[in-house]
Amino acid sequence: MKQLPQHFAHHYPTLLRRWRAVARSSGLTMTQFAEHDGFPLYVLQTRRPAKDAPSIYLSAGIHGDEPGGTEGTLAWAQKNPKMFRHARFTIFPCLNPWGLTHNRRSDASGIDLNRQFHDASLPIFKALHDVITGQRYILSLALHEDYDGQGIYIYELNSALTPLSPQLLAAARHILPRDPRRRIDGRQFTQPGYLHRNVTRRKMPDGPESIFLARGKVDTCFTIETPSEFSLDRRIRAQRIIIQTAIELVLRQHRFAGEI
């Protein structure tokens, strides 16, 4: 029986090998930018972007026990190679390879990296901040999962009056339902399945990745959460479709779409 790629969802060398194949076929560079817990960390970037191309940021695997994000990001890149013609991409395919390898949320020191993203005294984030310094992104997507999730839910940070999350949830509804809860992790959701907010220093902590990015680096930030207790195949498909839908919506919103 042919083994499914998902069987290797916690095998970091296999993840890197598949990303190298994507880089070769899609006009991306793949560069080591840091090392953490004995593992090399990589960033993929558009090799020769157009001068006026908008910039888009994607990341996954900051929590190692959430493989739907790392696999979903890769599945999206494999299926949509033409997208790299339309924007300047910065992709961090796995920010916590030790956690991915050991199926742990934290890193080897027990640190939840998604609570320390602002801390440039940590070498991993000093190096990452150096990669993105001077960049302004129209969109960021941080791919996550939730063991308590009853469906997909989304955190959306931007200043637009009309949230885009309902369209992302609708695009994946044939794969996974939206989470019906109105309160998740102590937060009151705008509607079932999404929380849409502006970023304010008074109300929001420093640590999480999307909040750090929303403070002056990104126009629209999404944190996507798929439910870990559903099948991995469905979670990957949902993540892939949500990534593609978000990029198409934001490119059209900024009139950069061309022929997607």
Side-chain angles (χ1 to χ4, degrees), residues 67-185:
T70 49
E71 291 293 315
T73 306
L74 175 63
W76 165 78
Q78 290 172 326
K79 194 169 182 66
N80 297 283
K82 293 181 180 179
M83 287 304 304
F84 298 110
R85 303 174 187 172
H86 299 281
R88 182 193 305 264
F89 281 88
T90 299
I91 303 171
F92 296 98
C94 183
L95 288 174
N96 182 8
W98 184 93
L100 184 77
T101 300
H102 294 87
N103 196 23
R104 292 275 295 277
R105 177 182 176 90
S106 67
D107 69 1
S109 301
I111 296 171
D112 184 337
L113 295 174
N114 201 40
R115 300 296 178 268
Q116 304 294 329
F117 204 89
H118 65 292
D119 188 356
S121 69
L122 292 175
I124 178 178
F125 293 128
K126 170 62 168 61
L128 189 151
H129 297 174
D130 288 346
V131 171
I132 65 176
T133 293
Q135 293 286 341
R136 178 74 193 183
Y137 299 95
I138 63 168
L139 170 68
S140 72
L141 288 149
L143 289 310
H144 284 260
E145 303 205 87
D146 182 0
Y147 278 100
D148 297 319
Q150 300 173 23
I152 304 169
Y153 65 91
I154 299 172
Y155 297 102
E156 179 176 352
L157 300 174
N158 65 22
S159 58
L161 296 177
T162 304
L164 298 177
S165 294
Q167 295 179 71
L168 306 189
L169 292 165
R173 67 182 174 217
H174 62 293
I175 302 169
L176 289 173
R178 68 169 64 190
D179 196 307
R181 295 173 293 170
R182 292 302 295 266
R183 193 169 186 84
I184 300 175
D185 291 337

Side-chain angles (χ1 to χ4, degrees), residues 184-205:
I184 300 175
D185 291 337
R187 299 178 182 88
Q188 189 68 34
F189 271 49
T190 312
Q191 294 290 334
Y194 71 92
L195 175 60
H196 176 227
R197 299 180 68 181
N198 293 329
V199 177
T200 63
R201 288 194 177 276
R202 183 174 61 86
K203 294 182 179 180
M204 292 186 173

Side-chain angles (χ1 to χ4, degrees), residues 41 65 209:
L41 275 69
D65 60 349
E209 178 179 17

Side-chain angles (χ1 to χ4, degrees), residues 8 46 60 69 109 118 132 183 217-218 231 234 239 241 247:
F8 298 94
T46 306
S109 301
H118 65 292
I132 65 176
R183 193 169 186 84
K217 292 187 178 296
V218 183
S231 76
R234 291 172 67 187
Q239 295 264 14
I241 288 171
I247 291 171

